[in-house]
Amino acid sequence: MADLLGIGVLFAAVAAATLVAVWLNKSVIPFYILIGMLLSPSVAGQFSVAGYGLPVVESSEFVELGAELGIVFLLFFLGLEFNLDRLLESWERITRAGTIDLGINFGAGLVLGFALFRDPLAAFLIAGIVYISSSAIITKSLIDLGWIANDEADPMLGTLVFEDLFIAVYLTVAAALVTGGSDVGAAAMSVGVALSFIVALLLLARYGTPWFERALQTTSNEFTVVRAVGITVLISGFALAIGVSEAVAAFFVGMAFAPTTHTHKLESLLEPLRDTFAAVFFFWIGVETDPRLFAGVAGLVAAAIVVTTPTKILSGYLSGRAYDLNPRRSMRVGLGMVTRGEFSLIIAAVALTGAGTSLSTALANAVYSFTVAYVLLMSILGTMLMQYSAPFEQFATARFGTE
């Protein structure tokens, strides 16, 4: 399909998904993912007869970059809501909540990974895959449900910050192990560069606000959008180029903009851009999903869902209590953290690079297939649990009280 026509089909498809979501009164995120899977080469491409059938949307460079921009803008908005002063004031609680989350879910992932694949490296990769929640999907859900300004948002956002910082180091270590770990010095250098850049981002968020204030001094909405996008995407792109998550970078850029007088204007002007590229991101998850891979790993995925859904709910609930939230809001934290997404897929791609070396080809493919199916189901399950949290909140209140 011609490039422009293919992009037209993409946007028409996500527009149709919004109509279905409104009609059914459901979160639109699962429908974005499902329509992407329906129009992917692995599904639509298999049902074309004599050139006729569903249009096929390839995972083109535009789709991939659009998905990256979706992550960037979602996390930029998260930073606007979570300024540096608030981060520093909450750092002790963030560390406590993040440690609870890491200990329960990464630990459970190690045990689960070894039980399922009987390989230490595969277990390490699975631990990362089931540990890391989706910053992009959870942020979008918080915004859609109106939870972003609620008390339960603080432990959720704080835990996501902790996870994203941890995963920046984890990915470097995982890549070194998967490629054979032959150059420990290079791996240590990569970790050092990543940590140094994160410190630089913290300093930017702390001391760069006056510069950001001046950069947006204009009466033109056009210039405001172009300047804000230019700054955010440039810094995020540079971060990705040196091995740091673009999501982490965009988050810190958002925090640098947060104390300026332009915050509300940025939110108003950039919201349509954020939601457009967020739709591309969720569509991309669907395009990357090949349901033909599911049959061979269905039992493994079912076991993982049964184990890792309760562990995330438990760790999230305990994190909420660490923030002194009542049981009802703590339960919301637990339900909200269930979703997995973009970083799990990145770890699975790392596993593929070790096929035939540190991992057998069959094992690397199994880890990848497992992850694709797991992310698809957990992204849908997580958004549905957030939308229909009321029964779980009532259970928490009945069981643990109101305080």
Side-chain angles (χ1 to χ4, degrees):
M1 181 176 291
D3 289 342
L4 185 58
L5 179 57
I7 300 307
V9 170
L10 183 160
F11 283 115
V14 297
T18 65
L19 296 175
V20 175
V22 170
W23 179 53
L24 296 175
N25 192 29
K26 306 293 184 186
S27 168
V28 73
I29 293 173
F31 296 99
Y32 284 152
I33 296 172
L34 290 174
I35 195 67
M37 186 169 65
L38 182 64
L39 299 183
S40 68
S42 60
V43 176
Q46 304 305 310
F47 295 97
S48 177
V49 179
Y52 295 96
L54 290 172
V56 177
V57 179
E58 304 279 352
S59 183
S60 64
E61 185 176 4
F62 175 87
V63 175
E64 292 174 359
L65 288 176
E68 295 277 7
L69 288 172
I71 296 171
V72 165
F73 289 127
L74 283 168
L75 271 293
F76 173 79
F77 268 73
L78 180 59
L80 288 178
E81 295 286 343
F82 205 92
N83 62 56
L84 185 61
D85 289 338
R86 183 175 161 194
L87 177 70
L88 294 177
E89 289 172 4
S90 305
W91 186 248
E92 183 178 340
R93 291 191 294 183
I94 289 173
T95 303
R96 193 182 315 137
T99 302
I100 292 170
D101 176 54
L102 177 65
I104 292 176
N105 294 291
F106 197 87
L110 283 172
V111 175
L112 176 70
F114 192 79
L116 295 180
F117 294 100
R118 302 293 179 180
D119 181 89
L121 180 54
F124 181 74
L125 295 171
I126 294 298
I129 288 163
V130 304
Y131 157 68
I132 185 74
S133 298
S134 172
S135 299
I137 298 177
I138 292 171
T139 301
K140 173 66 171 169
S141 295
L142 286 172
I143 293 168
D144 288 349
L145 294 171
W147 291 10
I148 192 71
N150 293 354
D151 291 341
E152 62 267 19
D154 281 353
M156 292 174 69
L157 301 181
T159 303
L160 290 174
V161 170
F162 186 97
E163 287 187 353
D164 287 353
L165 294 176
F166 173 84
I167 215 70
V169 177
Y170 169 88
L171 283 171
T172 303
V173 174
L177 292 174
V178 166
T179 55
S182 56
D183 196 340
V184 176
M189 178 67 72
S190 296
V191 171
V193 168
L195 293 177
S196 298
F197 190 72
I198 289 170
V199 171
L201 289 172
L202 276 168
L203 294 174
L204 177 68
R206 181 67 181 88
Y207 299 106
T209 296
W211 182 84
F212 286 108
E213 179 75 42
R214 292 192 299 271
L216 297 187
Q217 287 290 357
T218 175
T219 58
S220 167
N221 288 343
E222 175 189 353
F223 295 167
T224 298
V225 170
V226 170
R227 292 174 189 179
V229 170
I231 293 167
T232 304
V233 176
L234 177 63
I235 295 174
S236 300
F238 181 76
L240 190 62
I242 63 171
V244 177
S245 164
E246 75 278 27
V248 172
F251 173 78
F252 281 110
V253 174
M255 283 202 301
F257 275 113
T260 70
T261 60
H262 308 290
T263 303
H264 296 301
K265 186 177 182 181
L266 283 173
E267 289 176 338
S268 175
L269 293 175
L270 294 180
E271 183 178 349
L273 196 64
R274 176 201 71 196
D275 291 342
T276 298
F277 284 106
V280 176
F281 165 69
F282 298 123
F283 184 91
W284 168 80
I285 291 179
V287 169
E288 290 291 303
T289 301
D290 185 350
R292 295 173 299 180
L293 302 175
F294 293 179
V297 294
L300 304 180
V301 172
I305 292 173
V306 169
V307 171
T308 62
T309 300
T311 59
K312 267 294 181 183
I313 294 175
L314 172 62
S315 63
Y317 179 86
L318 294 175
S319 296
R321 299 300 279 170
Y323 270 72
D324 300 321
L325 299 187
N326 62 34
R328 182 178 73 85
R329 293 194 181 275
S330 295
M331 179 58 73
R332 280 191 173 188
V333 177
L335 297 172
M337 295 302 295
V338 166
T339 304
R340 272 63 156 201
E342 62 279 5
F343 283 116
S344 298
L345 294 173
I346 291 170
I347 296 169
V350 170
L352 284 181
T353 65
T357 53
S358 55
L359 294 169
S360 69
T361 300
L363 183 56
N365 289 335
V367 169
Y368 181 80
S369 300
F370 164 89
T371 306
V372 170
Y374 178 76
V375 166
L376 173 67
L377 296 174
M378 293 300 280
S379 62
I380 294 173
L381 176 61
T383 54
M384 298 300 287
L385 285 174
M386 290 182 74
Q387 186 174 12
Y388 297 102
S389 63
F392 299 95
E393 295 174 37
Q394 292 167 4
F395 168 79
T397 300
R399 179 67 177 83
F400 303 110
T402 58
E403 297 298 330

